[in-house]
Amino acid sequence: MRSPVDTIAAPPFPKDVSWVNVAPLRMEKQARHPVLIEFWDVCRPSCLRTLPYLRAWHERYAEAGLRVIGVHSPGFPAARDEPLTRAAIERLGIAHPVMLDPDFRLWRAYANPGWPARYLFAPRLRLFEVHHGEGDYHGTERAIQELLGIDEPLTPLADPADDDDAPIVVPTTDVEGAYSGPYAAGEVWVVVDRPGTVIVDGEVRALDRLGAHRVIRHERHTAGELTVTAGEGAAVLMTAFLPGLA
């Protein structure tokens, strides 16, 4: 959504927080360029589904002046573990700067409502566009190109369900912990508190990091039966169901 005014200034970064991939940044030092702030959590499947676009925008537009900055605000206690979070960021191939916000200090400064959330600031750090949740990837990229003064083909969508016009079906509600029973969804994800294994419908799956992992993907919205149990080393924090195409 385009900001209705151009007077909302970017809140400053807290001074005593940890950063990944970069020395500590100061928001006021970014004022000459467009800045994209993304609040995310390694334990949220919806956040991981947005990552291909964040990575692509960083790779495509950093040299043109865009600064992409992730703000990791953990929704589960396990994601407050800094070494595990740093390891997960590395394994996910995230090259843009990430601020670790375990106490939700920047989150509160933005009055941010949830994960993921994107805030695009124009030069001089005035809010230009905001989007909460998944979707509108092409809308955000058009806004980025507008601020950079370029006109290029947009990044291809990573999944047909990412098209805002795609017909999708509401899935089963997410549940805490492991789950066994009926479900209907396009994808099934599990969230674990550390590397380890889970057993999905009798098959052992090795998961290499803290956070959310997709364990089932259907071509379309599908109903079925599911059994998820913890294996060795990891506890299942949540079983999540994502929508599929109708």
Side-chain angles (χ1 to χ4, degrees):
M1 180 180 70
R2 186 63 54 92
S3 175
V5 296
D6 61 358
T7 58
I8 301 174
F13 297 130
K15 293 182 179 180
D16 53 350
V17 294
S18 297
W19 288 81
V20 184
N21 296 331
V22 71
L25 297 177
R26 293 171 56 186
M27 192 63 173
E28 62 270 23
K29 294 293 187 180
Q30 316 305 316
R32 293 182 298 171
H33 306 288
V35 179
L36 179 64
I37 301 290
E38 170 95 351
F39 286 90
W40 72 292
D41 177 8
V42 71
C43 290
R44 302 285 166 174
S46 57
C47 294
L48 298 193
R49 283 175 47 82
T50 70
L51 272 179
Y53 303 100
L54 271 293
R55 287 193 297 251
W57 297 336
H58 171 69
E59 292 170 2
R60 291 189 64 180
Y61 303 119
E63 290 189 3
L66 177 69
R67 173 73 92 169
V68 176
I69 300 173
V71 179
H72 186 266
S73 302
F76 292 90
R80 294 173 58 89
D81 185 304
E82 184 171 325
L84 285 178
T85 301
R86 287 179 175 273
I89 289 170
E90 181 178 0
R91 290 191 185 99
L92 289 167
I94 298 172
H96 56 266
V98 177
M99 190 195 103
L100 303 184
D101 189 28
D103 298 320
F104 287 69
R105 293 168 61 188
L106 193 64
W107 177 290
R108 289 194 298 270
Y110 276 74
N112 188 54
W115 302 269
R118 302 194 295 272
Y119 298 86
L120 179 62
F121 292 92
R124 298 180 57 242
L125 302 180
R126 294 300 185 262
L127 185 63
F128 189 73
E129 186 170 276
V130 60
H131 182 84
H132 297 140
E134 295 187 60
D136 197 28
Y137 301 113
H138 282 171
T140 297
E141 189 167 7
R142 289 188 188 97
I144 291 169
Q145 291 193 5
E146 180 180 342
L147 291 177
L148 294 173
I150 60 179
D151 183 10
E152 298 178 355
L154 300 176
T155 301
L157 294 175
D159 190 292
D162 290 344
D163 189 332
D164 293 329
D165 295 325
I168 59 175
V169 181
V170 176
T172 298
T173 302
D174 297 346
V175 296
E176 292 186 7
Y179 174 78
S180 294
Y183 79 98
E187 299 181 0
V188 179
W189 291 63
V190 297
V191 178
V192 294
D193 66 342
R194 64 191 64 250
T197 62
V198 298
I199 303 168
V200 181
D201 293 335
E203 179 184 348
V204 177
R205 304 288 188 92
L207 308 181
D208 62 358
R209 56 174 169 79
L210 157 80
H213 300 259
R214 185 172 62 190
V215 294
I216 294 176
R217 184 180 187 278
H218 302 294
E219 289 299 320
R220 313 193 77 82
H221 181 83
T222 301
E225 291 284 330
L226 174 70
T227 300
V228 174
T229 56
E232 295 183 359
V236 179
L237 303 176
M238 182 173 70
T239 306
F241 303 94
L242 272 65
L245 296 173

